[in-house]
Amino acid sequence: MEKQIPLRTQQIFRIEQFAKGNDPQLAALYFQFGRYLLISSSQPGGQPATLQGLWNDQLYPPWDSKYTVNINTEMNYWPSEVTNMSEMSEPLIQMIRELSETGKQTARDMYGAQGWVLHHNTDIWRMNGPIDGSYWGMWPMGGAWLCQHLWEKYEYNGNKNISSQYIPR
């Protein structure tokens, strides 16, 4: 009778082997897991994926289950175009359009500027002013970071009207 190796030990061994470059199947599995997370947490007609995704079961989740747009929200969507799942980014693209509308007033009031602005966090109501701590809350580059997704969408589908479809004039 063969001795059974505990699952935890097997997992540690697999990670150690991957670190040595000996497990390309783990990279493929991880890649497919990323696709699964995006498919299951971001569907056309719904809300974009948060860090907690659809699996949040807390009334007061970490980071209030908001969209942290200084990298976290963007990271959720990095695979959407390169994995041929463009439709999974539709909720994010819709949120960018909505934020470009709500951010006009914030740009005028806070900066005396035309265009729109988004600070480091937003939520389902598309707030865009500085919130939470002043150190990171005053970061006004969220809109610019999110617009990188519009550019990537254009690069993959060639639609030259993408900016006029999603960004108000």
Side-chain angles (χ1 to χ4, degrees), residues 64 66-70 99 102-112 116-123 126-143:
D64 301 321
K66 293 183 286 226
Y67 302 97
T68 303
V69 295
N70 59 1
L99 286 164
T102 60
K104 286 182 193 179
Q105 188 68 42
T106 305
R108 265 193 307 274
D109 292 348
M110 289 192 71
Y111 302 105
W116 63 284
V117 68
L118 171 64
H119 291 83
H120 95 290
N121 245 330
T122 191
D123 63 12
R126 308 308 185 234
M127 65 177 179
N128 47 45
I131 60 165
D132 299 330
S134 61
Y135 179 74
W136 55 83
M138 277 305 297
W139 185 75
M141 300 304 296

Side-chain angles (χ1 to χ4, degrees), residues 10-22:
Q10 292 176 32
Q11 292 169 336
I12 291 170
F13 177 75
R14 188 168 190 185
I15 291 169
E16 288 172 350
Q17 290 303 304
F18 181 77
K20 295 175 186 175
N22 296 333

Side-chain angles (χ1 to χ4, degrees), residues 75-94:
M75 286 173 61
N76 284 340
Y77 287 91
W78 283 347
S80 65
E81 301 299 327
V82 298
T83 59
N84 198 26
M85 298 188 314
S86 186
E87 65 276 11
M88 298 303 121
S89 70
E90 287 179 22
L92 176 67
I93 302 300
Q94 179 64 24

Side-chain angles (χ1 to χ4, degrees), residues 51-68:
L51 286 179
Q52 293 76 20
L54 301 174
W55 305 275
N56 173 44
D57 64 350
Q58 300 173 17
L59 186 57
Y60 299 104
W63 302 284
D64 301 321
S65 200
K66 293 183 286 226
Y67 302 97
T68 303

